[in-house]
Amino acid sequence: MNKEKLKLTSSEIGSLWGQYMNGTMTDIINRYMLSIIEDKAIKAIFQGAINTFAKQKKQLVFFIENEGFPVPIGFNESDLNKGTKRLFSDIFCLNYLHIMTIHGLVGHTTSFGIAVREDLRYFYDSCDTDGKKMYHQTIDLLLKKGDFQRDPYCYPGESPEFITTKDFTDGFFGKGRRLASTEIIGMSLNIKKSILAKTLCVAFSQVAQSKDVRKFMTDSQKIAEANIKSFSKILDDDNLSVPKSWETEVTTSTESPFSDKLLMYHIGFLSQVAQGYYGKGLASAMRTDILTAYERVILRNLRVTQKWYKIMVENKWLEQQPLVPNRQELSREK
């Protein structure tokens, strides 16, 4: 069997479609940030990110077209308003690239895990390698600038221990045990991602052209703030440090660098991928108050997604993914 002639499966086409949509969106954001960044070291990393995606985009287009599917419109120069005032500080741009690189690594790994055809597997493998390089670069520079937010420390015990009480899962009424290090992983990372979402909502609410989009951004900002408070309280109750906010890294500009379509898609993307992270955090939590916090956060995010979908469809901003054939419709045509 010729491995290169295997037809791509629906899952493989879906992964390519998603990689193209999310990649072109992030690329437009990166191009804008490159134009406003003053720090030479940060600027160099963004130029590298743009060059990397340009290479990946050509391969994505080749895969999609070679299977006879139309290439998505995604996002392009029409979604970028050049010459607008600075909206973000240099250090926020670097933090943004770091968090988005984490999203990219997860996306590439997921796509690699469902890829069967050899050329597609090697493509996602190379994307993962590029993403890891970017991950190292962003962390190294954030550390150098003293702006990388490390998670709370956990001090070692004298010897391994076993759970000996049924109250281990109790987190209410002051009876809860201390947080486990495995529970801190999800909460700390989810706070950082919610801080990014909140900061973008603050910025986007200032510059959005549509009244509906501005309201959506304001509402989403409040949801992100509620999510941050839910997790921060649990950390704070155990006297653990909480990641700092980035809202002060947003300027007072009201000139939009991006189309409303891109603003909406970006927040929708962050809300949807957050559900996956929340689900993973929920699965690793063993304390009842943490489980409850995750359940509330997931429900709040679902409300954001519902509002997002309504606005996207009404404005014809939501491209349709490739669908499987409708056999009933095909049979009626006869």
Side-chain angles (χ1 to χ4, degrees):
M1 182 182 293
N2 189 329
K3 298 176 182 177
E4 300 303 317
K5 290 186 178 180
L6 286 173
K7 284 181 65 64
L8 294 180
T9 65
S10 56
S11 297
E12 290 169 327
I13 288 295
S15 72
L16 290 168
W17 191 92
Q19 293 282 349
Y20 186 90
M21 291 293 295
N22 299 333
T24 54
M25 174 202 70
T26 306
D27 186 55
I28 293 299
I29 301 281
N30 288 346
R31 288 177 182 278
Y32 166 70
M33 289 184 170
L34 179 69
S35 73
I36 63 170
I37 291 170
E38 297 174 351
D39 186 286
K40 291 182 179 179
I42 299 176
K43 204 175 187 74
I45 292 181
F46 269 84
Q47 187 61 65
I50 291 168
N51 294 342
T52 296
F53 180 69
K55 174 187 67 176
Q56 294 173 356
K57 183 179 177 182
K58 289 180 181 178
Q59 193 64 51
L60 288 167
V61 170
F62 171 78
F63 282 127
I64 294 171
E65 289 185 334
N66 200 47
E67 292 297 311
F69 287 88
V71 177
I73 296 171
F75 298 90
N76 50 49
E77 293 295 323
S78 67
D79 296 294
L80 177 62
N81 301 320
K82 297 180 180 179
T84 55
K85 294 179 181 178
R86 168 187 281 268
L87 186 59
F88 305 108
S89 70
D90 283 10
I91 203 66
F92 173 78
C93 292
L94 181 57
N95 275 292
Y96 170 87
L97 183 59
H98 174 66
I99 295 295
M100 292 304 289
T101 298
I102 294 175
H103 287 312
L105 283 169
V106 173
H108 295 322
T109 302
T110 302
S111 296
F112 178 81
I114 57 94
V116 175
R117 210 169 75 182
E118 187 176 61
D119 56 348
L120 195 59
R121 281 185 277 124
Y122 278 102
F123 168 65
Y124 284 130
D125 189 49
S126 68
C127 288
D128 186 59
T129 299
D130 292 335
K132 288 176 181 176
K133 180 181 177 182
M134 184 64 58
Y135 181 77
H136 287 303
Q137 288 176 335
T138 54
I139 285 186
D140 287 343
L141 191 52
L142 283 167
L143 286 170
K144 183 178 180 181
K145 292 183 175 298
D147 204 75
F148 186 80
Q149 300 186 66
R150 302 194 69 183
D151 294 338
Y153 290 104
C154 186
Y155 295 94
E158 294 182 0
S159 60
E161 298 178 22
F162 289 89
I163 297 171
T164 58
T165 173
K166 294 179 181 178
D167 289 337
F168 189 81
T169 61
D170 192 354
F172 289 111
F173 311 116
K175 298 188 297 181
R177 43 96 182 152
R178 292 165 297 161
L179 282 171
S181 55
T182 51
E183 293 167 331
I184 294 174
I185 295 172
M187 276 190 292
S188 184
L189 186 58
N190 282 317
I191 290 173
K192 292 175 184 177
K193 293 177 186 300
S194 294
I195 287 172
L196 174 67
K198 180 187 175 183
T199 306
L200 288 176
C201 285
V202 169
F204 292 170
S205 66
Q206 292 178 191
V207 301
Q209 301 300 303
S210 164
K211 181 180 178 181
D212 288 341
V213 174
R214 288 198 300 273
K215 186 178 186 309
F216 172 82
M217 294 300 167
T218 302
D219 292 344
S220 297
Q221 175 189 334
K222 293 175 182 177
I223 294 294
E225 178 63 34
N227 294 347
I228 293 167
K229 287 180 178 179
S230 293
F231 294 130
S232 296
K233 184 182 184 305
I234 295 172
L235 290 175
D236 190 59
D237 286 347
D238 260 10
N239 301 306
L240 298 174
S241 59
V242 176
K244 67 178 182 180
S245 65
W246 294 329
E247 293 100 302
T248 55
E249 305 300 329
V250 177
T251 72
T252 57
S253 173
T254 57
E255 295 180 5
S256 182
F258 314 112
S259 66
D260 279 5
K261 170 189 169 185
L262 186 145
L263 302 183
M264 285 294 300
Y265 186 91
H266 201 336
I267 300 304
F269 164 78
L270 291 177
S271 295
Q272 289 165 26
V273 297
Q275 295 294 60
Y277 289 105
Y278 294 149
K280 187 175 180 181
L282 179 66
S284 65
M286 292 179 285
R287 223 172 70 177
T288 49
D289 58 332
I290 301 176
L291 294 171
T292 302
Y294 273 115
E295 289 171 354
R296 289 172 178 168
V297 164
I298 289 170
L299 288 174
R300 283 196 289 259
N301 255 44
L302 284 174
R303 292 200 296 270
V304 171
T305 303
Q306 289 170 346
K307 294 177 183 177
W308 174 84
Y309 184 80
K310 182 175 181 291
I311 293 174
M312 292 293 285
V313 171
E314 286 177 350
N315 287 278
K316 294 184 170 60
W317 289 337
L318 193 59
E319 285 189 64
Q320 181 174 283
Q321 307 95 321
L323 303 177
V324 297
N326 187 326
R327 300 299 179 183
Q328 292 182 342
E329 288 295 327
L330 290 173
S331 65
R332 290 196 190 103
E333 290 179 3
K334 294 181 180 180

